[in-house]
Amino acid sequence: MSDQFDTLPLGDEPASPMEENAPVPAFYPPRPPPTAPIMMADDGNDVKFEVTVSDPTKSGSGYQAFVSYKVTCVTNLRQYSSPSVTASRRYNHFVWLHTQLSEQYPCYFIPVLPDKQGIAPVFNRFQEEFVEGRRMALQQYLARIAMHPVLAQSKPLQTFFEGNEDSMRLPEEKKTGFFSGLMKDMTKTTTTVPLDPEFDAIKQSVKDLEGKLVDVHKFMDRLIKRRKDLGSSLSELGLQLMTMGTHEQQAGDAEASTTSKSFHDLGSCCDHLALSFRKQGDDENNKALMVIDEWLRIVQGAQEALRVRANAVGHHAALNADLEKKHRALTSGTQAGKHSVSESDVTEARRKVEEAKQRADLLGERVKEELGRMQRARATELRTMLCAFVSVQLKYGAQVQDSWERVLPSILQGVDPAALQV
C-alpha cells in the first residue's frame, strides 16, 4: 500500500510567524459587486489584500488563440517584494494556482474555477459577454482566496502574482481540455469509508444546499433571459410604432398629425424601455446570478474537501485492517500474504495507523471549521444578494412606471376620457 497519503501536507506547515498568530475572522463581510476591487477583511491584524482582474485581451489566432487578464494585488504582507504587483495571467495560471492550493492545503473550502470544458467555452470563449463573465468569475475566485486567513498568506498565491512562467508550469495531465473535465469526474473515486453519521449528515446538507442553489440559479437565469427577450421585443415594437406614425403623418390633416405624434412618442418610449430592460437584466446577472454562480463553486469546493477527508478516513481504516492482519499473523506464527511478519513490521504498521488517524482527525476538524465559516458567510452574502435583487426591481420598476406616465399625455390628446373606463 502506498505511503503517499501519509506525507500529504496539511497546509499549515511550515508557517511563518504572521501565519501562526493571524486570528481567524468570525465571518466574511458582504461581497461587493464582482466589478469592484476586492479587499481582504480587516480582522484586526492590519492585513490588507486588494485584488483585481481586468483588461481581458485576446492574443494569437486560430486554435492557438487565448485570453489573458491583467491581475493586480495591493497588499501590506511583508512576504511580498512590493506593495503593488501587476501581472498578465491566462486561465491555465489560475488552474496552476488552484492545483497548488488544493494539494498543499487540503480540506480548506477552495472554490472550483469557472469551467473551461463544455460547448459554451469552446465556441463562445472570445465573445464579449462570455469573456466578461469569465473575468468576473476569476476575480470572485481570487477574492475568496484573498479573504481567507490562511490561503491569503500562502506561497502559491504569492507565486501566482510575483512568479514567472517557468514557476507556474502545469504537467500535461493537469492541463484542461474539451473532455478533461468530464473524464476527471468519471475517474474521481472516493475510498470506502466506515459509517460516520456526523460527516454523512454534513455531506447530505451540502448536497441539499447545492440542489437548492441549482434550482434558484435555473429560474433566475430564465427570468433574466426572458427579460432581455422582452427588451428585444419592445425595441422591435417601438420601431413598428414609429413606422406606423410616419404612415399616419402622410395623411396630412391635423388629426393624423396628432395620431402620428402619439405613435412616434409611444415608439420612442418602447425603445427607451427596451434599453432599460436590458440594463436590468445585466444588473440582475451581476448582482444576483453571479453570486449564485459563485456559491455553487464554493459548495463544489466544500464537496471536494469532504471527499478528501473521506479518503483520509478510508485510508486509516485500510491501514488499521492491515495492522490487525499482521498482528494476527504475528500472534499465530503464520504468514501475512507471501511474507512472514516480524515485530518490527507490526510496529511500523501501528505507526502508520496512528499517523493516518491524526491526519484524518485534523482534516475532519478543518472541514468543520471551514463549514462554520461557510455557513456564516452564506447567511450574510445570500441575504445581501436578495436585498440587491429587490433593489434592482424597485429601481427599474420605478423607471418603467415613469416612462409610461410621461408618454401618456401625448397619447391622451383628443381621446374621450369616458372611453378609457374599464
Side-chain angles (χ1 to χ4, degrees), residues 171-310:
E172 287 298 323
E173 67 271 13
K174 293 185 179 179
K175 291 184 178 180
T176 57
F178 186 81
F179 295 108
S180 59
L182 176 62
M183 294 304 297
K184 182 178 178 181
D185 290 338
M186 291 174 62
T187 56
K188 184 181 294 185
T189 59
T190 300
T191 307
T192 303
V193 181
L195 291 177
D196 193 342
E198 179 183 13
F199 279 89
D200 287 346
I202 292 174
K203 181 179 178 180
Q204 185 61 47
S205 174
V206 172
K207 182 180 179 180
D208 291 344
L209 173 60
E210 180 186 34
K212 299 303 180 185
L213 287 171
V214 167
D215 289 341
V216 173
H217 184 280
K218 178 176 68 176
F219 287 102
M220 188 172 289
D221 184 50
R222 184 181 300 176
L223 170 66
I224 293 171
K225 288 178 179 176
R226 289 182 176 177
R227 194 181 306 286
K228 291 186 176 182
D229 288 342
L230 176 59
S232 297
S233 296
L234 274 171
S235 180
E236 294 168 357
L237 174 61
L239 177 61
Q240 297 306 316
L241 288 171
M242 286 188 280
T243 301
M244 183 68 182
T246 300
H247 178 270
E248 287 295 308
Q249 193 173 18
Q250 293 173 353
D253 56 61
E255 286 297 326
S257 178
T258 301
T259 303
S260 173
K261 184 177 185 305
S262 296
F263 271 106
H264 273 103
D265 289 348
L266 184 57
S268 178
C269 176
C270 288
D271 197 50
H272 173 78
L273 285 173
L275 179 60
S276 180
F277 276 119
R278 286 194 289 269
K279 288 182 177 178
Q280 181 175 357
D282 289 339
D283 275 2
E284 289 168 336
N285 180 75
N286 294 342
K287 297 179 180 179
L289 192 65
M290 285 291 294
V291 176
I292 301 298
D293 267 335
E294 182 186 18
W295 270 95
L296 280 169
R297 294 192 293 270
I298 291 172
V299 168
Q300 290 165 10
Q303 291 173 327
E304 175 62 15
L306 285 166
R307 188 187 69 82
V308 170
R309 181 262 167 192

Side-chain angles (χ1 to χ4, degrees), residues 109-161:
F109 287 6
I110 304 172
V112 301
L113 285 167
D115 199 10
K116 190 178 181 180
Q117 291 75 43
I119 299 299
V122 171
F123 294 100
N124 303 327
R125 59 183 179 141
F126 298 125
Q127 292 184 3
E128 182 178 354
E129 183 177 356
F130 177 83
V131 170
E132 176 59 14
R134 168 64 58 80
R135 183 202 65 78
M136 290 193 293
L138 292 175
Q139 174 148 317
Q140 287 176 324
Y141 177 83
L142 284 184
R144 285 293 164 188
I145 306 304
M147 287 193 295
H148 196 283
V150 174
L151 302 179
Q153 302 179 62
S154 66
K155 187 64 177 178
L157 184 61
Q158 181 181 358
T159 301
F160 175 81
F161 284 113

Side-chain angles (χ1 to χ4, degrees), residues 351-365:
R351 181 191 65 80
K352 290 181 179 180
V353 168
E354 291 173 353
E355 287 184 355
K357 184 178 187 309
Q358 289 177 2
R359 188 166 296 278
D361 290 345
L362 285 169
L363 292 179
E365 289 303 312

